[in-house]
Amino acid sequence: MSGLLMPKADDSTMSRRSDIVTALRAIVPGEGVVDATNAMRVFESDALTAYRQLPLVVVLPQTVAQVSRVLKYCHENNVKVVPRGSGTSLSGGALPLEDAVLLVMSRFNQILEIDYPNRVAVVQPGVTNLGITNAVEHEGFYYAPDPSSQIACSIGGNVAENSGGVHCLKYGLTANNVLGLEMVLITGEVVRLGGKHLDSEGYDLLGLMTGSEGLLGVVTEVTVRILQKPATARALMVGFPTSEQAGKCVADIIAGGIIPGGMEMMDRPAIHAAEDFVHAGYPLDVEALLIIELDGPVVEVDHLISMVEAIAYKNGASTCVISQSEEERMAFWAGRKAAFPAVGRISPDYLCMDGTIPRKELPKVLAGMRELSEKYGLRVANVFHAGDGNLHPLILYDANIPEELHKAEDFGADILRLCVKVGGVLTGEHGVGVEKRELMPEMFNEIDLNQQIRVKCAFDDKHLLNPGKVFPQLHRCAELGRMHVHRGQVPFPEIPRF
């Protein structure tokens, strides 16, 4: 797996592989257990395809009881478990381990309930993101978070990574649209968090689970918020001579109190790749392109469009096209939605990064990326959620050229360091996984990281769930909980000790 360091395979587990497979077949009969090498190849990586590893065995459960029994068996026998949804993670979150069971949740693909009066849907984690909207759109509803991979990514994976998408600026990330979860702990216990009600009492464990990257439990049911489609939606396609001008326009729109349904930005390489791919009518003589969607009542949308158009021209826009039909609006978005596969046509390989910065720092960070591109001698195409500062630089490289992958990884790491330096964060929606694991100390000190690991210990004291992800170094839970005695003095001596 290139130079990626993962937890050393446990010899005891490897020597018991045959017994483990037999036990799992008893729990998930039929075709639910896959242990043949060739059959497991399709599971050897997720969407971060630079890294590959065959799992110990693949298990595809169909019921909550099976998930519970599998996890309980693994806990009692000290076997690691890597949960997997659709395998679209761009951070290596579902990368298998040689000595771990790969628990694939794709057979949990049913919509269990649609409750229009309460505006919620109850779904299994293997249902695709777009599948929820498809199930409710005939009644004028939709599910708001819409990552570019929405046709394939699962709602369970969205919960694990706290996915966003084009419309998360106005309607929120997954965390803002999930009301309840059913999950199974590593011990096999089944717990429910939240539900159809608006808020829950006690600690916000639902918020803790959303974005936990498979480290705390396995989700088996999700209750999501569905929204009524707005009366109208129109989009502006605005071209700029420089990325800095486009970035300033983004900041001015938000500062003006306007919250678009979506506001996306692409630079010249991404514009050309997308236009060649889908022929959306993008201008090819601009350095940056903004797609700005406004939704709501017709009168409000018309007023906001005139305001945004004025702000765009004030910031030096060279072109501005306003959609006049639903077909034209969808054409504007077609290129943006297809940007990732489009870039795949102009480069043998690319790394898709994911960092988030304050909006006002967009011009500075884009200029910094250009400097890094020259430093590493690699091209970069920028496609990102401009409205909330969530960047997705695509670093173009050729894996067949020795050391280019390593250069691309170093380039990406420097981009993320720059994001943190200007007050941003390492990830907006792709998660940490293995990709950003070693960069966690750039943002958190040892005390911060240890406190996060203590949360992990509360759910998984043996570190069996998705080990090797997120944290650059794991401590045994007993070490984090031990009492430090300095020169014979215990801390807080006035507290009774038992």
Side-chain angles (χ1 to χ4, degrees), residues 116-279:
Y116 291 111
N118 284 312
R119 299 194 176 191
V120 301
V122 182
V123 305
Q124 291 186 318
V127 172
T128 62
N129 175 288
L130 189 58
I132 300 175
T133 292
N134 290 341
V136 300
E137 62 184 354
H138 67 283
E139 293 287 342
F141 286 81
Y142 73 110
Y143 178 62
D146 55 345
S148 294
S149 59
Q150 66 180 146
I151 192 172
C153 65
S154 68
I155 194 67
N158 288 180
V159 170
E161 305 291 5
N162 193 18
S163 303
V166 167
H167 291 93
C168 67
L169 171 63
K170 184 173 183 178
Y171 296 105
L173 299 159
T174 300
N176 306 107
N177 289 275
V178 169
L179 296 172
L181 296 175
E182 177 187 75
M183 59 179 281
V184 185
L185 304 179
I186 187 63
T187 56
E189 296 167 284
V190 181
V191 299
R192 281 192 172 272
L193 307 173
K196 292 183 180 181
H197 45 284
L198 186 62
D199 204 358
S200 301
E201 69 288 342
Y203 291 124
D204 184 15
L205 297 179
L206 182 63
L208 182 64
M209 276 299 298
T210 308
S212 60
E213 302 196 33
L215 270 69
L216 306 182
V218 176
V219 173
T220 51
E221 183 185 290
V222 188
T223 302
V224 300
R225 188 194 316 272
I226 54 174
L227 302 178
Q228 200 155 19
K229 285 189 175 180
T232 190
R234 296 176 67 192
L236 300 90
M237 181 170 65
V238 190
F240 291 88
T242 69
S243 293
E244 286 76 12
Q245 287 170 300
K248 181 66 165 52
C249 180
V250 169
D252 286 354
I253 289 171
I254 300 297
I258 302 168
I259 306 297
M263 184 155 51
E264 299 291 296
M265 182 169 165
M266 294 188 285
D267 66 4
R268 177 181 280 269
I271 295 166
H272 282 249
E275 178 60 20
D276 289 344
F277 190 45
V278 300
H279 308 294

Side-chain angles (χ1 to χ4, degrees), residues 24-65:
L24 293 173
R25 284 195 195 282
I27 299 171
V28 186
E31 298 180 346
V33 175
V34 180
D35 65 330
T37 298
N38 286 340
M40 293 195 297
R41 288 282 176 205
V42 295
F43 301 102
E44 67 181 0
S45 77
D46 54 18
L48 186 65
T49 54
Y51 305 120
R52 300 171 186 272
Q53 172 63 59
L54 284 175
L56 179 75
V57 60
V58 177
V59 179
L60 297 97
Q62 286 184 292
T63 68
V64 177

Side-chain angles (χ1 to χ4, degrees), residues 149-449:
S149 59
Q150 66 180 146
I151 192 172
C153 65
S154 68
I155 194 67
N158 288 180
V159 170
E161 305 291 5
N162 193 18
S163 303
V166 167
H167 291 93
C168 67
L169 171 63
K170 184 173 183 178
Y171 296 105
L173 299 159
T174 300
N176 306 107
N177 289 275
V178 169
L179 296 172
L181 296 175
E182 177 187 75
M183 59 179 281
V184 185
L185 304 179
I186 187 63
T187 56
E189 296 167 284
V190 181
V191 299
R192 281 192 172 272
L193 307 173
K196 292 183 180 181
H197 45 284
L198 186 62
D199 204 358
S200 301
E201 69 288 342
Y203 291 124
D204 184 15
L205 297 179
L206 182 63
L208 182 64
M209 276 299 298
T210 308
S212 60
E213 302 196 33
L215 270 69
L216 306 182
V218 176
V219 173
T220 51
E221 183 185 290
V222 188
T223 302
V224 300
R225 188 194 316 272
I226 54 174
L227 302 178
Q228 200 155 19
K229 285 189 175 180
T232 190
R234 296 176 67 192
L236 300 90
M237 181 170 65
V238 190
F240 291 88
T242 69
S243 293
E244 286 76 12
Q245 287 170 300
K248 181 66 165 52
C249 180
V250 169
D252 286 354
I253 289 171
I254 300 297
I258 302 168
I259 306 297
M263 184 155 51
E264 299 291 296
M265 182 169 165
M266 294 188 285
D267 66 4
R268 177 181 280 269
I271 295 166
H272 282 249
E275 178 60 20
D276 289 344
F277 190 45
V278 300
H279 308 294
Y282 290 171
L284 299 178
D285 57 347
V286 299
E287 289 298 321
L289 185 70
L290 284 181
I291 303 173
I292 307 159
E293 181 170 289
L294 299 154
D295 60 17
V298 176
V299 173
E300 179 186 357
V301 170
D302 289 345
H303 174 64
L304 291 177
I305 281 178
S306 64
M307 290 180 65
V308 170
E309 185 180 20
I311 292 171
Y313 280 122
K314 178 184 174 184
N315 280 281
S318 54
T319 66
C320 182
V321 180
I322 302 169
S323 68
Q324 301 301 320
S325 66
E326 180 65 8
E327 290 73 24
E328 190 174 16
R329 182 184 75 87
M330 294 304 291
F332 288 1
W333 284 118
R336 167 60 187 91
K337 287 285 188 178
F340 288 6
V343 169
R345 299 173 76 229
I346 64 173
S347 176
D349 304 280
Y350 67 82
L351 281 182
C352 177
M353 307 307 296
D354 166 52
T356 301
I357 60 173
R359 280 181 291 265
K360 67 183 180 67
E361 301 291 350
L362 270 173
K364 179 178 180 179
V365 171
L366 291 172
M369 276 195 246
R370 282 196 294 272
E371 293 176 5
L372 289 170
S373 178
E374 293 176 7
K375 172 184 173 182
Y376 285 100
L378 295 174
R379 294 176 295 162
V380 60
N382 277 294
V383 182
F384 54 89
H385 310 309
D388 55 5
N390 185 194
L391 309 180
H392 292 315
L394 307 177
I395 300 170
L396 314 186
Y397 72 100
D398 186 347
N400 292 316
I401 299 176
E403 296 302 310
E404 276 225 345
L405 171 58
H406 185 65
K407 282 172 61 179
E409 290 175 325
D410 288 346
F411 184 0
D414 279 350
I415 289 175
L416 295 177
R417 290 188 182 99
L418 177 59
C419 290
V420 173
K421 184 178 179 180
V422 301
V425 295
L426 292 172
T427 178
E429 57 175 336
H430 292 176
V432 176
V434 296
E435 178 202 34
K436 309 177 189 74
R437 183 188 65 190
E438 305 306 325
L439 293 171
M440 287 287 275
E442 297 285 336
M443 188 170 171
F444 301 104
N445 61 32
E446 186 178 3
I447 296 172
D448 296 331
L449 289 171

